[in-house]
Every structure is written in structure tokens, then in C-alpha cells.
Amino acid sequence: MHISPTGPSATANEELEHQKAAITRLGHELRGLVEATVRTAASPETLHRVADGVRTITGQLTGRRRARAEIPEVDEFPAGTRIYSPVTGAGSPLAPPVKITPTADGLTGECTLGIAHEGPPGYGHGGMSAMLLDELMGRACVAAGMPGLTVSLQMRYHRPVPLETTLLILARVTGTDDRKIFVSGSITSRTDPDASLVTADGVFVAPDLHRARALFPGLQRA
């Protein structure tokens, strides 16, 4: 017979999961709104009407707002979920969002960029490629047990990154030197995974405990 957990901790976990589900649903709908906004050819009258409606909806998000350095309760920082991440966050209207899977020697991310991420017509903005790789390469450090901050990121753009195409982002730690972590990454497409669109080499540094506490005061609550 299955016995469900009871007590304050079980209730707190249920509330947290309920909050995550609500944030995820709102993020999904907002991404749809952003994509529709940058693709629409609606009349000025329609756009003004929609803008009024969006303002009204924004006004419903009342209550306490988290501070700049505050870590959301729904996050698992630094090694887990970042629900508002502009790269992986299910709750972010900016994110693709990237879905990450561990591999034998690193991580693989999968996402599809939309028109909201456009640089050259039909292709992703180069800054989006850098952001995707920076995120995955940083997470590769975490997966290897060495959370670090980006020191340098050398990008090489081989081919334009197509929009509305499933992309694969690969990242793996290639070496260490004291607190320095060396990471490589690449972006390809699912249809042609052997053809690199963008590649990168990065150097990350694992901050010492004093520096980490200064940078991330929210960690002190743990």
C-alpha cells in the first residue's frame, strides 16, 4: 500500500511544485505573446488595444517583488533549476527555453530559436549563440562538480544559426588548472549534427568561499 508523505514538509513541497507549475504555464503563454508580437502585421488600432490589455494584465502581478540578488524559492542554485533563466528558464518569456541532458563527458542542450531571437533575417542573433554556449558551458562546470564564473569566451561563427530549427548545444570540461576550468562548446542542428554552426572555448573560475558569499548573499540562507 502506498502511503503519501504528510506533515509540514510535504505541504511545503506541494506548494512549491504548484508554484513552479503556475510559473511554467505563465512563461509558456508569455513566450507565445512575445513571438506573436514580433511577427504580427496587425493594425495600429489593434496594437494599441493589445498594449492596453497587457498593461492591465501587468497590473495584476501585485504583491512583494523579489530583490535584485534574491534567489527565488523555486530555484536550486547553483546546481539545479533556474526557472527565470533567459536561456533555460521555463518561466522566462525570453528563453527558448533550452532542455539539458547529461552525456558521458558533459551536457547536451536542445532548443528552437524563434523570430524573437532573430539577428540577420531568418537566422539567430550572434549574441544568442554566445548566451546559449555560455550557459551550457557554465552548467558543464557545475555538472563536473566545479561551479565557476565566466572569465573568457572565445566564439567562432562558422555558419548562420537558423531559426525555427531544432538546435543542439554541446558543452564539456576539457581541463583544469587550480581554480581555472577550461570548457569547449558547440552549436549544431539536429538535422545535421556533424556540421558545427558555432564553436567556443571558455575559461571559467571557481570563486573561493569568501568571494562566493560576497557575490551571492542569498546563498547564506542555506
Side-chain angles (χ1 to χ4, degrees):
M1 180 176 65
H2 175 72
I3 300 176
S4 299
T6 58
S9 61
T11 300
N13 288 336
E14 289 174 359
E15 291 176 352
L16 199 61
E17 290 305 313
H18 186 60
Q19 182 75 4
K20 287 181 181 179
I23 292 170
T24 297
R25 182 184 176 195
L26 178 58
H28 175 77
E29 297 301 333
L30 287 174
R31 287 190 292 276
L33 174 62
V34 169
E35 191 70 7
T37 297
V38 299
R39 298 189 78 135
T40 187
S43 68
E45 292 75 21
T46 297
L47 296 178
H48 281 300
R49 185 170 63 252
V50 171
D52 289 339
V54 171
R55 179 185 296 177
T56 299
I57 291 171
T58 302
Q60 296 178 38
L61 297 176
T62 58
R64 191 183 76 83
R65 294 175 180 263
R66 65 183 173 96
R68 178 180 62 87
E70 182 181 349
I71 300 171
E73 291 186 1
V74 291
D75 275 7
E76 300 162 7
F77 180 81
T81 300
R82 300 299 308 284
I83 203 163
Y84 295 114
S85 163
V87 179
T88 61
S92 171
L94 309 176
V98 177
K99 295 178 176 63
I100 298 177
T101 304
T103 64
D105 63 348
L107 299 174
T108 297
E110 186 173 305
C111 72
T112 301
L113 299 181
I115 301 300
H117 306 116
E118 188 174 56
Y123 298 97
H125 193 289
M128 281 300 303
S129 296
M131 186 162 68
L132 293 175
L133 283 165
D134 184 46
E135 176 76 14
L136 265 290
M137 292 164 73
R139 283 178 174 258
C141 294
V142 174
M146 300 174 288
L149 302 174
T150 313
V151 172
S152 68
L153 194 63
Q154 183 177 2
M155 305 288 298
R156 291 177 293 279
Y157 296 87
H158 305 283
R159 299 175 177 85
V161 175
L163 301 177
E164 300 182 330
T165 299
T166 302
L167 303 175
L168 302 177
I169 310 109
L170 309 177
R172 65 186 183 91
V173 172
T174 58
T176 61
D177 180 8
D178 192 18
R179 292 191 294 113
K180 288 185 179 180
I181 310 152
F182 303 98
V183 192
S184 67
S186 65
I187 299 176
T188 65
S189 68
R190 183 193 281 172
T191 55
D192 192 3
D194 295 325
S196 294
L197 304 173
V198 185
T199 57
D201 290 305
V203 179
F204 292 71
V205 168
D208 59 31
L209 184 59
H210 176 74
R211 181 63 171 161
R213 285 175 173 172
L215 287 170
F216 310 113
L219 287 177
Q220 296 180 23
R221 74 184 185 188

